[in-house]
Amino acid sequence: MRKKIIAANWKMNMTVSEAEAFLHTFLHEIGGENGVEIVIVPPFTALAKVSEILGRGQAAKLGAQNMHWEKSGAFTGEISAQMLRELYVRYVVIGHSERRTLFGETDDIVNRKVRASLEAALKPVVCIGETLEQRDAGEVESVLHRQIKVGLQGLSVRELSDTVIAYEPVWAIGTGRTATPEQAQAAHAFIRKTLSELWDSATADKVRIQYGGSVKPQNAAELMSEPDIDGALVGGASMDPRGFAEIVKAAMPAH
Ligand code: PEP
């Protein structure tokens, strides 16, 4: 049984003091152990403070929004896996569509980062998804297939099981337009089938596939009731601590 994983991608939002205030309310709202893996993904500047507040408790884990694939060197403005590890970061988002479209990240770059993260024992959350033009042209499956094949190339079975995939249709990110549960489930099932063809079905069954794209408290439960949707990567709605707690609650296993 795959444990659901809900991540808060704050993007370029949240100062250190705003992050502190968020956690104060959010951790109170969610209470103790709840059967859901929660990952808070602040901007780099708030990682140290969020790490300190989360401490060794299991309430939520820490994620980063990006990293460079080299270990160190003359890469002004970049952050290495080792720097993240020192702050107890456990997950790193790689290949978000904003990185792909605004900062020119290709599937090859995604692959370098994914491999470097796994080598450093950071779990990658690899974002894939089609644009509206690609969906309208009937290219959803070919785009997803290419992003998986190239982006995850060279991963061992063990590394693949440590990888989280986030299916984020670009047309649904920050637009208020969510994929229907049926559209999302179809894409997730295709992703799992592709993993089982490129690796094997037992490993594909272990990989968690999050949905991302305008997830909010009102639509989270319905999306996550689909068999291949194993959680959510949440942008806009993750900045409201009470709303984000409701999304986490929607992912809790039924008692
Ligand atoms: C995201 O940034 O990954 C995302 C899904 O954003 P939003 O929830 O705002 O659509």
Side-chain angles (χ1 to χ4, degrees):
M1 181 73 179
R2 297 181 295 267
K3 189 174 190 174
K4 292 240 183 336
I5 175 164
I6 308 288
N9 173 19
W10 289 346
K11 313 191 187 197
M12 196 174 73
N13 297 293
M14 295 284 212
T15 63
V16 172
S17 52
E18 286 166 345
E20 261 185 292
F22 173 98
L23 288 174
H24 181 78
T25 307
F26 174 70
L27 294 174
H28 177 77
E29 288 285 322
I30 54 160
E33 170 56 37
N34 48 45
V36 178
E37 192 167 0
I38 302 165
V39 186
I40 306 291
V41 189
F44 292 134
T45 46
L47 282 173
K49 177 53 83 180
V50 174
S51 182
E52 184 191 315
I53 295 172
L54 297 179
R56 287 176 176 227
Q58 289 300 309
K61 291 176 183 156
L62 188 58
Q65 296 179 17
N66 183 27
M67 58 169 264
H68 196 274
W69 60 87
E70 291 288 352
K71 291 191 170 69
S72 61
F75 301 101
T76 302
E78 293 291 333
I79 296 279
S80 75
Q82 193 51 38
M83 293 168 183
L84 299 177
R85 290 271 305 164
E86 204 180 16
L87 294 175
Y88 303 101
V89 170
R90 310 280 286 277
Y91 286 90
V92 58
V93 175
I94 294 180
H96 190 280
S97 76
E98 287 151 17
R99 302 276 339 151
R100 291 176 189 259
T101 53
L102 302 173
F103 302 99
E105 283 194 12
T106 60
D107 291 322
D108 285 319
I109 292 176
V110 167
N111 185 244
R112 287 191 209 184
K113 292 184 174 189
V114 168
R115 289 156 78 142
S117 71
L118 287 160
E119 261 171 43
L122 285 172
K123 295 182 178 178
V125 176
V126 184
C127 302
I128 60 175
E130 80 288 352
T131 62
L132 191 55
E133 293 69 36
Q134 289 165 333
R135 175 163 282 267
D136 288 344
E139 293 169 2
V140 176
E141 296 193 348
S142 60
V143 168
L144 295 178
H145 193 276
R146 188 199 68 234
Q147 290 175 331
I148 294 168
K149 190 166 193 276
V150 182
L152 303 186
Q153 195 160 22
L155 264 56
S156 67
V157 156
R158 172 82 196 270
E159 289 173 327
L160 184 68
S161 9
D162 279 341
T163 299
V164 175
I165 295 181
Y167 169 63
E168 300 208 305
V170 179
W171 47 271
I173 299 179
T175 58
R177 191 178 156 190
T178 322
T180 64
E182 295 74 26
Q183 284 173 322
Q185 167 57 26
H188 284 229
F190 175 79
I191 292 167
R192 207 176 297 288
K193 177 165 117 359
T194 304
L195 295 176
S196 95
E197 283 163 8
L198 295 174
W199 281 268
D200 61 76
S201 67
T203 312
D205 269 348
K206 286 188 206 147
V207 175
R208 289 176 300 173
I209 309 173
Q210 296 176 304
Y211 169 78
S214 300
V215 173
K216 36 187 185 273
Q218 297 81 340
N219 59 24
E222 203 187 0
L223 283 159
M224 280 183 289
S225 67
E226 294 291 341
D228 286 295
I229 301 185
D230 308 312
L233 180 53
V234 188
S238 74
M239 284 183 289
D240 165 26
R242 291 191 178 81
F244 186 58
E246 277 185 53
I247 294 174
V248 169
K249 286 177 190 160
M252 287 183 192
H255 294 292

